[in-house]
Amino acid sequence: MSAPANPHPDRRTVIASSLAGTAALAASRALAQDAPVGGTTPVIELPALPYPLQALEPVISQRTLEFHYGKHHQGYVTTLNDLIKDSDLAGKSLEDIIVAAQADASRAKIFNNAAQIWNHTFYWNSLKPGGSRPEGALLKKIEASFKNLDDCKAALLDAALTQFGSGWAWLVLEGEALKIVKTSNADLPMVHGQKALLTIDVWEHAYYLDHQNQRKAYAQAVIDKLLNWEFAARNAS
Ligand code: MN3
């Protein structure tokens, strides 16, 4: 039986790396700075998914990604562009928008939408069809900060399960140590002095179509089968 046709071949393009520090981001910054006076201000764009929509099955179905990427992630992008248009934040990088909005309680809606764009792009990159295993310097760091890889994964699962309500479970670098943390709603490590290495979305929309209310079945399968440890290693270096 052949795989279902990908209805979005234009989304097959692989995005090079994480949001932070990519050539694409540098290019978008250069574009922002070089925008001609009176020209069109660049908008925040929805990055391409790094794999086809069906590539994470059976853990995460094509239907979940059609909604989660095509509706939720796209929705945050559309809303943020509406919110910042004609403001001092128009044309700024996503990271700059997140940091500026986080410092201003009157801009909570901007923060929530901007952070959710960043979180979701980071989450797609934290997953890889077929998964991978940590090696080399990252594995050494894991063994220095946790007893071993199994303990690191168990702590990540525990964070995913004990985050009350919507949020995220993360592997982060804080100083020289790796830590597992959880955040609520759109909150994210970069505003807490931590560098994100991997994340798992534990909002219900991430798993309800495939696993209904069983967050543990989803989080355990993601940890066992889909984590992109090469992406984590790039973020840690
Ligand atoms: Mn989500």
Side-chain angles (χ1 to χ4, degrees):
M1 201 170 115
S2 62
N6 176 8
H8 303 293
D10 55 321
R11 289 181 185 157
R12 298 184 80 128
T13 317
V14 172
I15 53 176
S17 181
S18 69
L19 260 180
T22 60
L25 185 62
S28 75
R29 280 196 174 125
L31 191 62
Q33 285 159 4
D34 295 346
V37 176
T40 309
T41 306
V43 297
I44 299 295
E45 291 186 347
L46 179 69
L49 258 191
Y51 31 71
L53 289 164
Q54 76 276 17
L56 304 178
E57 291 186 346
V59 178
I60 298 172
S61 65
Q62 170 164 342
R63 185 159 170 77
T64 288
L65 281 189
E66 284 169 355
F67 279 92
H68 200 180
Y69 172 72
K71 304 288 184 195
H72 290 273
H73 198 179
Q74 175 67 67
Y76 297 126
V77 171
T78 303
T79 303
L80 179 67
N81 282 314
D82 280 348
L83 289 170
I84 64 172
K85 135 184 105 179
D86 303 327
S87 83
D88 58 310
L89 297 178
K92 292 207 184 306
S93 74
L94 187 58
E95 284 84 352
D96 287 349
I97 293 168
I98 290 168
V99 171
Q102 197 262 342
D104 180 349
S106 73
R107 287 181 145 172
K109 193 171 177 188
I110 291 176
F111 172 80
N112 286 334
N113 282 275
Q116 283 292 79
I117 296 169
W118 195 97
N119 291 344
H120 282 88
T121 302
F122 197 84
Y123 169 58
W124 309 135
N125 282 281
S126 294
L127 307 179
K128 179 182 173 179
S132 65
R133 290 186 60 81
E135 299 174 346
L138 177 61
L139 185 57
K140 283 206 179 78
K141 241 177 210 158
I142 289 169
E143 289 167 349
S145 298
F146 305 91
K147 205 162 66 189
N148 51 43
L149 177 61
D150 283 346
D151 270 34
C152 173
K153 288 179 173 178
L156 185 58
L157 179 64
D158 185 65
L161 300 186
T162 57
Q163 169 54 38
F164 184 76
S166 296
W168 302 81
W170 306 83
L171 174 65
V172 302
L173 190 59
E174 189 177 79
E176 287 302 303
L178 296 181
K179 285 177 70 172
I180 299 293
V181 298
K182 53 193 176 186
T183 60
S184 291
N185 299 320
D187 193 18
L188 72 177
M190 78 165 75
V191 299
H192 301 289
Q194 298 160 337
K195 189 156 194 280
L197 304 193
L198 285 177
T199 195
I200 302 175
D201 187 342
V202 296
W203 285 55
E204 278 191 349
H205 65 226
Y207 57 89
Y208 213 87
L209 289 177
D210 298 323
H211 305 276
Q212 291 71 55
N213 61 331
Q214 299 173 70
R215 187 188 288 190
K216 184 175 183 181
Y218 154 77
Q220 184 77 67
V222 165
I223 291 168
D224 289 344
K225 298 176 180 169
L226 293 179
L227 285 184
N228 186 347
W229 291 96
E230 291 135 19
F231 176 66
R234 287 199 297 276
N235 292 322
S237 62

